[in-house]
Amino acid sequence: MLIAEACTHAPLSEDIGRVKIPRMLKNKIGNDLKISIVAGRDFPNDLTPYDLVIHCGGCMFNRRHVLNRIEQARNQGVAITNYGIVIAYINKIIDKVVYPE
């Protein structure tokens, strides 16, 4: 699994992408889960080693840049989602998520 953050901020002690989401995933799936974390422009060219990419909202990037990452994952057959959907799924509130029409 790859967790990708757009920004390169100094991580906080309870950083959502580096601490909270990995903890939630390991609690749900197990400690054997392998998670890699990248930030900023360190997004790998080859995503095939990963079963899933979990991306932040991308507020530090423009729309085109985020869409390019989504397209890259799709072209390589790797599932991609965002922090919010993962958190909603883990907390069993995914059915409350509103999808655009």
Side-chain angles (χ1 to χ4, degrees):
M1 189 165 302
L2 176 67
I3 296 178
E5 296 183 329
C7 57
T8 57
H9 68 281
L12 303 172
S13 61
E14 284 296 309
D15 188 79
I16 192 165
R18 296 171 187 260
V19 177
K20 291 182 178 181
I21 291 175
R23 182 187 316 136
M24 286 187 254
L25 290 167
K26 287 183 178 185
N27 286 340
K28 178 138 182 99
I29 297 169
N31 285 326
D32 293 338
L33 182 65
K34 290 182 176 45
I35 300 173
S36 298
I37 299 171
V38 296
R41 303 223 178 252
D42 290 338
F43 199 69
N45 288 325
D46 182 10
L47 299 174
T48 59
Y50 306 102
D51 294 318
L52 176 65
V53 175
I54 302 171
H55 207 291
C56 70
C59 66
M60 299 302 291
F61 292 153
N62 64 36
R63 182 176 189 274
R64 184 80 237 139
H65 194 81
V66 173
L67 290 174
N68 284 339
R69 286 187 172 188
I70 293 168
E71 187 66 22
Q72 177 184 345
R74 284 184 180 156
N75 288 342
Q76 294 180 33
V78 178
I80 186 168
T81 191
N82 66 39
Y83 286 11
I85 296 296
V86 168
I87 292 167
Y89 177 79
I90 290 171
N91 288 304
K92 300 179 181 172
I93 58 168
I94 194 75
D95 59 321
K96 308 264 189 286
V97 173
V98 177
Y99 297 94
E101 294 182 28

